[in-house]
Amino acid sequence: WVTLMVSKLSFSSNIKIEADISLGKFSKGLGFFLNILKNQNSFMVDEGYKLWLNLDKKETEISRSNVLIFNDTLKLKPKTFYHLVIEKVDDKLDVYLDNKLIFSHINHLPIRGNYFGLAYEDTSFSIKALKVYTSTYNVMVNCLAIADAFFAKEDYEVAIKEYEKITFSFPSRKEGLEAIFRSGIS
């Protein structure tokens, strides 16, 4: 069993989490969840990103929509504070530990959730100065943002039409290739 706490507020797609964390000697780890999707009365935790930190003998894992995208032993020592930064800007996720980049990932599929969560199996951990930052959207947005918004609202027919417009308008540019991929054509 795990205890999961989910934010009351939803955040824009750009989010940065900073915390000083320490795991106890017998800790089973600590989980950070980004882009949790909220349906009518429930949260779909497995829809976004999950970072599960473990001590030196167990692997730290990062997954997106229940697909493992990173696992490694970070050699975290018990009862030692580490400065953790998780930053998601647009399609890019970066994770830093003590100001050192340990993971970077670009996701080519839009993410639908906007909530942040924290999970743990036991209380053998400490968190100091947990901070959550969000940023507003740029004045100029990527042309994929409109189609991505329809995708996030599960209006797939309109999203595909918008992706097709982008593909037709920018056939050899990155945006056009991205749009054709997001519409499911390979």
Side-chain angles (χ1 to χ4, degrees):
W1 292 95
V2 297
T3 300
L4 172 68
M5 297 177 285
V6 178
S7 62
K8 288 182 181 180
L9 298 174
S10 68
F11 297 92
S12 71
S13 64
N14 296 336
I15 186 171
K16 178 179 179 180
I17 293 132
E18 281 190 53
D20 293 321
I21 60 161
S22 172
L23 300 176
K25 186 175 181 179
F26 300 107
S27 175
K28 293 183 180 177
L30 182 62
F32 292 86
F33 292 80
L34 279 75
N35 300 107
I36 297 172
L37 180 64
K38 182 178 183 182
N39 280 344
Q40 304 224 350
N41 294 323
S42 65
F43 290 98
M44 298 177 66
V45 178
D46 59 348
E47 195 62 28
Y49 285 104
K50 175 186 85 173
L51 163 64
W52 195 270
L53 291 167
N54 276 312
L55 290 171
D56 59 355
K57 294 186 173 134
K58 295 182 182 175
E59 292 185 335
T60 291
E61 298 180 349
I62 301 174
S63 61
R64 159 97 188 340
S65 301
N66 275 337
V67 176
L68 184 66
I69 53 178
F70 172 85
N71 68 334
D72 196 5
T73 305
L74 297 181
K75 304 202 182 332
L76 299 179
K77 302 289 180 218
K79 298 184 180 181
T80 304
F81 274 94
Y82 296 93
H83 185 69
L84 174 70
V85 176
I86 306 167
E87 189 172 56
K88 186 184 167 300
V89 178
D90 297 327
D91 297 334
K92 187 175 181 188
L93 176 73
D94 291 325
V95 179
Y96 299 87
L97 199 59
D98 287 341
N99 299 317
K100 179 183 172 192
L101 180 67
I102 60 166
F103 176 76
S104 186
H105 174 70
I106 295 177
N107 185 33
H108 296 288
L109 296 173
I111 218 160
R112 301 184 304 157
N114 292 324
Y115 290 85
F116 163 69
L118 185 66
Y120 53 90
E121 286 187 50
D122 55 45
T123 57
S124 183
F125 67 91
S126 294
I127 296 180
K128 292 193 296 189
L130 175 66
K131 299 174 186 172
V132 180
Y133 302 94
T134 185
S135 68
T136 58
Y137 291 103
N138 297 329
V139 174
M140 291 178 45
V141 295
N142 187 310
C143 59
L144 294 165
I146 295 169
D148 291 347
F150 285 112
F151 181 85
K153 295 288 184 191
E154 298 181 7
D155 191 346
Y156 302 119
E157 285 185 40
V158 176
I160 286 176
K161 288 177 185 173
E162 292 298 320
Y163 288 133
E164 288 171 349
K165 286 181 193 176
I166 296 166
T167 301
F168 180 76
S169 298
F170 307 104
S172 60
R173 289 187 49 171
K174 175 187 175 271
E175 293 84 354
L177 297 173
E178 190 83 23
I180 201 163
F181 175 80
R182 290 184 186 185
S183 65
I185 299 171
S186 59

